Amino acid sequence: MKKQMSLFIWAVAVFGMSPVWAATNSGMRAASSADLTGGPATRTRQNVNYQKYETRTSTRTYDMKDAGDLYYTAPTKRSALYKQYDNSGRNGAANVRMTRAETTRTAARRKYYLAHPFFQPLQGKFGSITDLSYNMNSYDMAFSNPTSIIHDANGNALTLNEASGKWDMKQFSIKEDFSYGITDRIAVLAMLKYDVSKYKFEWSNGPDDKMDDNGLNMFGAGAQWRFVDNDKWIATLSGYYQHQKDVSDNVILDIKGGYKYGKSTIYGLLRGWYVDLDGNAYGNGVSGKDGEGYDATMFVAYKTNTDNAMYVEGGVGVFSVLDEDWTLNVEGIFGNYDWHNQASLKAAIGWQPNDWFALNLYAKTAIYDSADDKNLEFYYWRANTFSADGAPLTGLSRFGDAKVDKYSETNIGVQAIFYF
C-alpha cells in the first residue's frame, strides 16, 4: 500500500484539569473521534493560599534602672542615651530609667499566592491565566494480523506492508482561563484554547505521514465553590463544561481538600470526566491525500463501538511558600482513562513579585502507563476502494492490529497569572 499523505489527524487532549483555573494544559489524554460506520470524522484532544501570611509586629520595652546595661554596651557619653527620669527615688533623688523600643518582624508573607492550587478571585475581582505549553505524546507500534479486505478498482487486494511504526504528536497550546468572583467563596470561569499541532506516523518501510493542524479547538465554562476555608483546612468543589471541536463534549467534576501546615498546604484531589464522543470510536488518526491523489484515512483506535468514555483520576500534592516571592508545587496523579491507566508527576515553581502578577513554570510527565503491550485496532479507508464483493467502501475498515510500546506523555509550560 503506497502512502504519501498530507495528513489531517485527530489527536485531542482531554487534559487533566486543575480546578477553576486549569492549572496547566497538562496531561494529554490523546484521543480522537471517528465514525467507523460512515465517513471518517476529522480532528484530533490555582487560587491563592488562603493561609493568611500577614505582617505582625510586637514592641518590647527594656527597662534599665540606675544606668545599668541590659542588652547592649552603653555609649561612653551618658548624654547620648535617651533618659527618662522619675521622682520615686529616696529623698527626692532622681532615678535614671532608660528605654529602648524594638520592632520584631515575626512574619512577612503576602496574603494571596496566585499559583496556589486553591486560589480563586474574591468578590468583584477578576483573575486571568494565560497558559503557554508544549505537549508531546508518542508510542511505538508493531503490526500483526493484517487483512486484505480492501480492493482497488481493478480488484487487487490492498494489504498492510509495514512491520512497525511510531505515532508522534507535538503540540503548542495557548489557553486562556478568565475567572470572576461572584462572592468570596464562589467564582465562575470561561476558557478558550488554541492549538498549533504536528502529527506524524513514522513508518519502518516507507515515507512518514504527517500534517499540521492549527485552530481554536476548545472552549468551555465552569464554576468553583470554596466551601471550607479556615486556619487549618481548605476545600473546593468545581464543575466545568468543555467542547472539543469535532471530537466531544465533556463534563468535568473536581473536588479538592487541603491541610495548612506552616507555609505549606498538603492536599488531595479527585476528578472525573464524562466524555460524549461525536463518533463511535476514538484514538489517533490521519486523513488526507495518498500518493495516488486519493482521499485516505488511517486510524489507530483506542476503543470502538462506543459513543462515550469515563476518566477518573486522584492524587496528592503539596504547595509551599519558599520565600516571599517564590513558591513550589509538586503533585502526583494516578488515573484511569477508559482504555489505559497512568501515573504522572508534576512540578511547578512560581515567582510572584507583587500581589497582582505571577509567573508559574511547570512540567508534567507520565512515569507509568498501562498502554504498553496493548493491542489496538488499526483501520484504513481510501476513496475508490471496494469490498471483496465489489461494493464501494464508505467507512473505515479494520486492517490489522497495532501493539503499543514505549507510550509517553510529557508537557512543559509557563503561566502568566493576573489578579485585578
Side-chain angles (χ1 to χ4, degrees):
M1 179 174 62
K2 187 177 180 181
K3 306 178 309 303
Q4 183 71 44
M5 295 200 298
S6 172
L7 307 175
F8 179 75
I9 73 172
W10 317 269
V12 59
V14 180
F15 292 113
M17 286 188 53
S18 296
V20 121
W21 301 16
T24 69
N25 282 326
S26 60
M28 295 173 296
R29 305 278 79 73
S32 314
S33 175
D35 187 347
L36 300 184
T37 59
T42 53
R43 210 152 186 73
T44 64
R45 128 133 207 105
Q46 313 263 14
N47 280 355
V48 169
N49 189 354
Y50 268 77
Q51 297 170 230
K52 298 183 179 180
Y53 294 118
E54 299 170 336
T55 300
R56 301 190 302 276
T57 61
S58 60
T59 301
R60 300 172 182 168
T61 300
Y62 303 106
D63 296 338
M64 289 156 277
K65 293 184 178 181
D66 302 322
D69 299 324
L70 185 59
Y71 288 107
Y72 61 97
T73 302
T76 54
K77 293 184 178 180
R78 287 295 184 215
S79 59
L81 294 175
Y82 180 81
K83 299 180 180 181
Q84 291 181 336
Y85 295 92
D86 61 32
N87 294 320
S88 60
R90 295 180 180 178
N91 302 320
N95 284 339
V96 178
R97 181 177 296 276
M98 293 178 296
T99 63
R100 175 166 59 95
E102 179 182 276
T103 299
T104 303
R105 194 176 192 184
T106 59
R109 297 291 182 269
R110 64 176 42 88
K111 188 175 181 180
Y112 302 117
Y113 284 90
L114 304 183
H116 195 283
F118 289 86
F119 178 77
Q120 68 186 58
L122 299 176
Q123 183 175 6
K125 295 286 189 177
F126 293 91
S128 169
I129 293 183
T130 302
D131 190 327
L132 283 73
S133 70
Y134 184 63
N135 311 304
M136 296 162 282
N137 173 224
S138 66
Y139 52 84
D140 293 342
M141 299 176 293
F143 293 100
S144 62
N145 303 319
T147 61
S148 57
I149 61 174
I150 303 175
H151 298 75
D152 63 17
N154 298 319
N156 299 315
L158 302 179
T159 60
L160 184 67
N161 61 3
E162 275 76 24
S164 62
K166 180 180 180 179
W167 164 259
D168 183 76
M169 180 187 82
K170 300 288 192 300
Q171 183 183 78
F172 177 76
S173 294
I174 304 173
K175 186 171 184 289
E176 174 63 28
D177 293 334
F178 193 77
S179 55
Y180 175 73
I182 300 297
T183 70
D184 284 353
R185 296 296 183 99
I186 298 175
V188 292
L189 169 73
M191 64 193 79
L192 291 170
K193 187 158 78 73
Y194 185 93
D195 298 325
V196 179
S197 307
K198 294 182 181 294
Y199 306 104
K200 180 167 59 174
F201 275 131
E202 298 178 0
W203 303 113
S204 58
N205 296 334
D208 297 341
D209 290 326
K210 53 189 175 182
M211 182 186 174
D212 297 340
D213 175 31
N214 308 328
L216 185 64
N217 292 329
M218 188 274 285
F219 64 83
Q224 178 169 305
W225 173 34
R226 192 177 67 255
F227 61 92
V228 175
D229 187 14
N230 54 47
D231 290 342
K232 291 295 184 182
W233 299 95
I234 187 168
T236 56
L237 177 64
S238 309
Y240 310 92
Y241 164 80
Q242 286 183 342
H243 175 73
Q244 299 278 351
K245 186 179 179 181
D246 298 330
V247 177
S248 65
D249 293 290
N250 312 316
V251 177
I252 303 106
L253 293 178
D254 179 297
I255 188 167
K256 183 183 298 184
Y259 175 73
K260 303 173 186 178
Y261 180 77
K263 298 178 184 178
S264 299
T265 301
I266 303 167
Y267 62 92
L269 59 91
L270 181 65
R271 300 187 187 110
W273 290 260
Y274 175 76
V275 182
D276 184 19
L277 299 169
D278 287 356
N280 63 1
Y282 69 106
N284 299 127
V286 298
S287 182
K289 300 290 186 180
D290 69 1
E292 298 177 6
Y294 292 109
D295 291 333
T297 297
M298 296 176 183
F299 186 66
V300 177
Y302 293 159
K303 207 167 185 179
T304 61
N305 300 316
T306 182
D307 58 5
N308 64 80
M310 288 291 298
Y311 301 153
V312 178
E313 67 180 17
V316 295
V318 59
F319 176 88
S320 293
V321 177
L322 305 178
D323 181 76
E324 185 169 2
D325 294 342
W326 294 93
T327 62
L328 177 67
N329 190 191
V330 178
E331 193 172 278
I333 297 290
F334 183 83
N336 175 270
Y337 305 106
D338 193 46
W339 71 279
H340 70 132
N341 300 323
Q342 185 184 100
S344 62
L345 285 177
K346 174 189 168 186
I349 187 164
W351 174 62
Q352 185 172 332
N354 51 51
D355 290 336
W356 54 268
F357 172 73
L359 283 176
N360 199 38
L361 178 67
Y362 66 86
K364 181 180 179 181
T365 189
I367 58 174
Y368 162 79
D369 202 294
S370 67
D372 289 351
D373 296 328
K374 285 186 179 294
N375 283 305
L376 304 181
E377 298 176 357
F378 184 74
Y379 288 82
Y380 179 72
W381 171 85
R382 195 190 76 173
N384 199 35
T385 55
F386 305 87
S387 64
D389 59 7
L393 295 177
T394 58
L396 293 164
S397 298
R398 186 169 176 178
F399 221 53
D401 295 330
K403 186 176 181 179
V404 174
D405 189 30
K406 298 180 181 178
Y407 187 93
S408 173
E409 287 187 21
T410 299
N411 65 296
I412 59 175
V414 62
Q415 296 169 322
I417 309 173
F418 295 88
Y419 183 51
F420 51 95

